[in-house]
């Protein structure tokens, strides 16, 4: 069996490594000069206007010229801030990832310490955000925008934040606890997959069996699919009417992947 890492796996590892290094070496700081603060306000307004366009017209109809008009600027002036429609899309993707992650973090701050409860709270927070912002959820997890490819160096750090929370929950769930039965053993991984996951976990400074980590990431990715099925109405009108009741059942099944009831 060939256990070498595939090129796409090596690329993923490189992106996660870069994201981890950026968090340690390049902390985000607030601008200190009036000019920098003015630029930050303008950029925030551009993102706000872009999100308004996204809500009204969808990602495929984003227009920098319209953003310029809404800012009260000539169309050429907008390019001093945003070079292209693709760059605006990237700004909106990062903004959505940050908002989603912060919503999840706020919910987890109110949750108890039990890993299963924390996963279910995380899942509920993701669904609330998705239903409140279906156009932004679609931008993150729906049909890709034709001709656009999100730059990993700009989007990965914030894009993995919720996944890292799920992995942290898995770390807690995998720790021995008095009076709690251990989770069933995880399925053994192929050597190449195990090596990749071990490197990712090392970069994230998470002590977790790679097979358990894969189970946790499976729960996270399945959660995205489950929520998308609700947001996009893929389960039919009757399922939409059941809403949280159906999702709660589905999320309990996903929680079993991390910590059985």
């Amino acid at each position: 069996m060939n256990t070498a890492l595939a090129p796409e796996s090596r690329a993923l590892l490189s992106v996660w490594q870069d994201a981890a290094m950026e968090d340690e070496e390049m902390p985000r700081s607030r601008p200190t000069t009036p000019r920098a603060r003015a630029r930050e306000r303008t950029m925030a307004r551009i993102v706000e206007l872009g999100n308004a366009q996204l809500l009204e017209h969808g990602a495929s109809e984003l227009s920098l010229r319209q953003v310029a008009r809404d800012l009260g600027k000539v169309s050429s002036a907008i390019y001093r801030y945003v070079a292209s429609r693709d760059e605006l899309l990237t700004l909106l993707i990062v903004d959505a990832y940050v908002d989603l992650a912060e919503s999840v973090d706020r919910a987890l701050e109110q949750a108890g310490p039990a890993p299963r409860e924390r996963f279910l709270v995380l899942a509920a927070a993701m669904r609330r955000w998705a239903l409140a912002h279906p156009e932004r959820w679609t931008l993150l997890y729906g049909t890709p925008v034709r001709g656009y490819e999100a730059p990993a160096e700009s989007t990965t750090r914030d894009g993995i934040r919720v996944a890292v929370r799920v992995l942290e929950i898995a770390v807690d769930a995998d720790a021995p606890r008095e009076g709690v039965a251990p989770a069933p053993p995880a399925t053994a991984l192929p050597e190449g997959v195990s090596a990749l996951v071990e490197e990712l976990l090392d970069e994230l400074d998470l002590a977790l069996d790679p097979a358990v980590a894969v189970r946790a990431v499976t729960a996270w990715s399945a959660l995205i699919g489950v929520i998308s099925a609700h947001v996009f109405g893929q389960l039919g009108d009757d399922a939409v009417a059941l809403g949280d009741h159906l999702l709660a059942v589905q999320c309990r099944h996903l929680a079993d992947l991390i910590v059985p009831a």
Side-chain angles (χ1 to χ4, degrees), residues 30 42 50 76 84 86 105 131 133 142 145 154 164 182 187 198 230 248:
R30 302 290 294 176
T42 300
S76 59
S84 64
D86 283 5
D105 284 346
L131 291 178
H133 308 285
V145 179
S154 300
V164 171
T187 303
E198 284 177 356
H230 284 256

Side-chain angles (χ1 to χ4, degrees), residues 25-179:
E25 299 173 8
M26 300 176 61
R28 293 170 177 170
S29 58
R30 302 290 294 176
T32 57
T33 67
R35 182 175 181 178
R37 288 193 293 271
R39 181 177 179 83
E40 184 186 59
R41 288 193 295 270
T42 300
M43 292 299 296
R45 181 63 176 149
I46 288 171
V47 169
E48 180 183 352
L49 293 170
N51 278 324
Q53 279 194 39
L54 190 67
L55 176 61
E56 186 172 357
H57 303 295
S60 62
E61 301 297 324
L62 285 175
S63 167
L64 280 178
R65 290 180 178 272
Q66 184 60 52
V67 170
R69 286 193 290 270
D70 291 341
L71 281 172
K73 297 180 180 292
V74 297
S75 58
S76 59
I78 196 68
Y79 296 103
R80 291 183 295 179
Y81 301 93
V82 182
S84 64
R85 184 221 54 169
D86 283 5
E87 188 172 314
L88 177 60
L89 267 173
T90 299
L91 289 172
L92 298 183
I93 288 170
V94 171
D95 180 66
Y97 275 136
V98 169
D99 197 34
L100 171 59
E102 290 180 350
S103 295
V104 167
D105 284 346
R106 285 194 297 271
L108 289 175
E109 287 173 0
Q110 305 302 316
R116 185 178 180 86
E117 176 193 349
R118 293 182 68 76
F119 178 81
L120 294 175
V121 166
L122 177 148
M126 286 184 69
R127 181 180 187 271
R128 285 195 301 270
W129 189 91
L131 291 178
H133 308 285
E135 72 291 340
R136 298 169 82 192
W137 180 269
T138 302
L139 184 62
L140 298 182
Y141 302 117
T143 303
V145 179
R146 185 183 296 274
Y148 170 78
E149 184 174 349
E153 67 276 8
S154 300
T155 58
T156 297
R157 176 169 60 177
D158 294 304
I160 67 173
R161 283 175 58 181
V162 176
V164 171
R165 294 291 176 267
V166 174
L167 287 168
E168 290 169 348
I169 291 169
V171 170
D172 291 340
D174 201 44
R177 298 187 306 282
E178 185 177 351

Side-chain angles (χ1 to χ4, degrees), residues 171-202:
V171 170
D172 291 340
D174 201 44
R177 298 187 306 282
E178 185 177 351
V180 177
T187 303
L189 301 176
E191 185 178 342
V193 174
S194 182
L196 171 65
V197 176
E198 284 177 356
E199 290 190 68
L200 296 178
L201 291 170
D202 184 60

